[in-house]
Amino acid sequence: MLCKEVIDVIEAAYPRSYAMDWDNVGLLVGRDDKEVRRIYVALDATDDVIEQAADWRADMLITHHPMIFTGLKRINNLDFVGARILKLIQNDISYYAMHTNYDVLGMAELSGRKMDFGETEVLEVTSREERDEGIGRVANLKTPMTLKELCWLVKDKFHLGAVKVFGDMDQKIKRPAISPGAGKSMIKAALDKKADVLITGDIDHHTGIDAVAQGLAVIDAGHYGIEHIFIEDVRIYLEEKLPGIEAAAAPVCHPFQIV
């Protein structure tokens, strides 16, 4: 199967038109006429991931976060992004990123299901093409729980050793919101949707205490902490939709350690 045919299958479920205007999704490095038999799936195109993909003899690498966001004036081994691009080209690996289009059409709903939220609604609508789609989910819990109990649930569902919390641990949570990745910009949406808590990542001190002052608790599970669910979800999708294609998932490996 050609790379362009793989892309057609991906974009049938996750059209690039659903990505944010500022994003950079699609085929970022390599040939669309490359014959693809093996696909490696990861969250980020790090040096280790590209090395793993090359060692596994992958024909294609698919990540959630785009390795290339801004314009490049030169590609050489003196720059870490340039060195990664060269490594991909040298190993004839076509590299594809599916970021906010997957956030809207995959990650949001999947994270709500992981938390067993039941029926959910979109946290922030970004598209109305066929129906309301967008970033994050919010739900009403059938059985309220304390903020502390919800923290334990997040840790269990996403296999995390720790989370950062802003708020009263004894507060009763009836309406949680979840927005995987960096959630600072989702504070207003969570407040507008009358959420009690926002489960997200990359929340700084002042954003956290300001959210609490407005009546919103925050559980910061880390950027990687929730979004790593992309890896296995996309691997399964590829193997189901592309008979004869072998897809491998990069090992879940948090980019930092809490010691």
Side-chain angles (χ1 to χ4, degrees):
M1 176 175 285
L2 297 180
C3 176
K4 65 180 72 176
E5 296 172 318
V6 174
I7 292 172
D8 287 342
V9 171
I10 293 171
E11 294 182 359
Y14 307 102
R16 282 184 288 168
S17 60
Y18 281 85
M20 304 296 104
D21 292 341
W22 49 263
D23 205 0
N24 189 30
V25 299
L27 183 64
L28 303 188
V29 178
R31 301 184 289 116
D32 72 348
D33 60 353
K34 162 77 176 178
E35 185 70 33
V36 174
R37 295 184 178 86
R38 310 185 97 192
I39 302 174
Y40 200 69
V41 185
L43 198 71
D44 298 279
T46 62
D47 294 328
D48 286 344
V49 162
I50 294 172
E51 191 70 38
Q52 290 159 11
D55 289 346
W56 190 63
R57 297 185 180 179
D59 302 299
M60 191 171 182
L61 170 63
I62 297 175
T63 70
H64 182 46
H65 298 132
M67 180 180 67
I68 303 170
F69 256 122
T70 57
L72 300 174
K73 292 187 176 181
R74 60 185 62 83
I75 297 172
N76 58 44
N77 66 321
L78 303 178
D79 171 79
F80 75 97
V81 175
R84 291 174 183 175
I85 293 171
L86 290 174
K87 180 77 172 180
L88 289 165
I89 293 171
Q90 288 166 349
N91 287 276
D92 197 15
I93 298 173
S94 294
Y95 168 54
Y96 185 93
M98 43 193 296
H99 189 207
T100 51
N101 50 331
Y102 178 83
D103 283 338
V104 169
L105 297 172
M107 185 81 78
E109 188 67 26
L110 179 60
S111 62
R113 290 202 310 270
K114 285 278 188 183
M115 289 295 297
D116 297 325
F117 280 167
E119 186 176 348
T120 62
E121 60 181 282
V122 176
L123 180 57
E124 181 178 75
V125 175
T126 59
S127 174
R128 301 184 187 273
E129 288 190 20
E130 296 180 6
R131 60 184 183 276
D132 286 358
E133 296 284 5
I135 303 295
R137 290 293 186 268
V138 62
N140 293 314
L141 296 180
K142 291 182 180 179
T143 304
M145 63 180 71
T146 65
L147 180 59
K148 183 177 182 179
E149 289 170 333
L150 185 59
C151 290
W152 282 104
L153 186 62
V154 170
K155 288 163 62 175
D156 176 61
K157 294 297 184 179
F158 295 102
H159 310 293
L160 303 174
V163 293
K164 183 169 66 175
V165 190
F166 297 90
D168 179 356
M169 297 297 274
D170 294 322
Q171 176 189 352
K172 281 292 185 180
I173 302 298
K174 300 177 181 178
R175 187 167 168 80
I178 187 166
S179 181
K184 183 175 181 176
S185 65
M186 301 302 291
I187 298 289
K188 183 179 184 304
L191 289 166
D192 289 345
K193 290 286 187 177
K194 309 299 182 185
D196 301 314
V197 62
L198 174 63
I199 305 163
T200 189
D202 292 357
I203 298 296
D204 63 83
H205 172 76
H206 294 290
T207 299
I209 62 174
D210 288 350
V212 172
Q214 297 174 83
L216 180 71
V218 177
I219 298 174
D220 184 339
H223 199 124
Y224 189 95
I226 300 175
E227 286 197 328
H228 68 77
I229 60 177
F230 163 89
I231 302 171
E232 186 63 11
D233 185 53
V234 170
R235 186 198 69 78
I236 291 171
Y237 174 80
L238 293 171
E239 289 204 332
E240 287 179 348
K241 298 294 184 181
L242 301 171
I245 292 291
E246 185 178 0
V252 175
C253 182
H254 294 269
F256 64 90
Q257 301 295 322
I258 298 174
V259 296

